[in-house]
Amino acid sequence: TAAVNQTPSCRFLRPLSQAWPFGRFAVLYLMGGLNNYQLKGRAEYAYWPKILPLIEQAAIPRHPHELLSTLKPFYRDERLSAAKLNRLDRFLGSSLCDRIGDRDPEIIATNFLAIWPELSRTRKQGREKKTIVFGMKCLAYALLLVNKIDFDFRPIPIPVDLRVRELSRRLGLMYKGDAQERARWNYVIDNIRRDRKSTRLNSSHVSQS
């Protein structure tokens, strides 16, 4: 969707989604999401554009763990560097990372919700914690960037940041509680999915006629 395409991470990482094998791209995106906190400025200035040159200068990783040496210099100079380096090392060394790094979009989409509790266990954090849900959001963006939309994000809490609150206000989706917020956004997402499926079916019918 247009809204997703305008997020800072998608704008900067889109070229990699076409150049890298999907699994390794998904690992990079998810890892970036896990460490996207306590930044030195807004993400569109102080985070994604600072990471991207390091990645572009390195070879496409044959194994996700190779991202460790690529990303370490950046996180070493970040706020809370010890915690971020620990997250980097723990996630990239996990069996979950290995499996994601070797999978295609179809398999990740099919197993999307099963990844959520496993990421929680890998990080040793509750699945409702902002770090975990933001990591899952980044994994969802990785799928969307390769035009994979048939996966279910609905049970996962929406990571509410200033952009989400502002978009909620503009769309008239202001909420009084988490349950209402999620229900309203799920309604929007279901309608987007239904419209996109209808468009694909109509296009297919026209091409066969």
Side-chain angles (χ1 to χ4, degrees):
T1 66
V4 169
N5 289 334
Q6 291 306 308
T7 61
S9 58
C10 285
R11 292 203 312 269
F12 287 108
L13 296 183
R14 178 180 297 281
L16 298 181
S17 72
Q18 307 303 314
W20 283 29
F22 175 77
R24 269 145 284 178
F25 173 68
V27 164
L28 170 67
Y29 212 151
L30 199 166
M31 182 64 245
L34 294 176
N35 267 348
N36 187 357
Y37 70 101
Q38 288 291 319
L39 306 179
K40 293 180 178 179
R42 293 173 66 91
E44 56 264 47
Y45 305 115
Y47 193 62
W48 300 109
K50 301 288 186 181
I51 291 176
L52 189 59
L54 296 174
I55 296 166
E56 290 178 329
Q57 291 166 16
I60 296 174
R62 292 166 298 176
H63 185 279
H65 196 67
E66 293 175 12
L67 287 168
L68 188 63
S69 58
T70 302
L71 297 175
K72 260 187 175 181
F74 174 77
Y75 290 120
R76 191 178 289 124
D77 292 333
E78 278 289 278
R79 293 173 178 163
L80 304 178
S81 60
K84 291 179 180 179
L85 288 169
N86 178 266
R87 287 187 180 192
L88 186 69
D89 188 59
R90 177 175 291 179
F91 176 69
L92 293 181
S94 69
S95 59
L96 174 61
C97 174
D98 287 344
R99 288 196 301 281
I100 293 175
D102 195 37
R103 298 294 188 265
D104 60 32
E106 183 69 36
I107 294 175
I108 296 298
T110 300
N111 295 282
F112 188 79
L113 287 180
I115 292 171
W116 181 27
E118 190 166 359
L119 180 62
S120 171
R121 289 192 296 272
T122 299
R123 284 290 314 126
K124 297 183 179 179
Q125 289 181 290
R127 67 178 70 181
E128 308 285 329
K129 293 294 185 180
K130 187 175 180 180
T131 294
I132 303 301
V133 298
F134 194 78
M136 292 302 297
K137 183 177 83 167
C138 287
L139 183 59
Y141 282 176
L143 288 167
L144 293 174
L145 282 178
V146 296
N147 298 313
K148 192 67 181 171
I149 63 170
D150 52 341
F151 60 94
D152 189 6
F153 194 90
R154 290 176 300 174
I156 301 174
I158 296 172
V160 178
D161 56 18
L162 292 176
R163 286 188 179 85
V164 171
R165 290 190 185 281
E166 178 61 17
L167 188 58
S168 295
R169 185 188 66 79
R170 292 184 181 185
L171 293 176
L173 297 172
M174 292 302 290
Y175 48 89
K176 296 180 180 178
D178 291 342
Q180 287 186 344
E181 172 201 11
R182 190 184 304 183
R184 291 175 179 181
W185 274 107
N186 285 345
Y187 175 78
V188 171
I189 291 167
D190 285 343
N191 276 278
I192 291 172
R193 285 197 179 111
R194 185 161 52 249
D195 289 345
R196 292 189 70 169
K197 285 182 180 178
S198 176
T199 299
R200 288 205 305 273
L201 287 172
N202 289 337
S203 298
S204 174
H205 176 73
V206 168
S207 66
Q208 294 172 11
S209 299

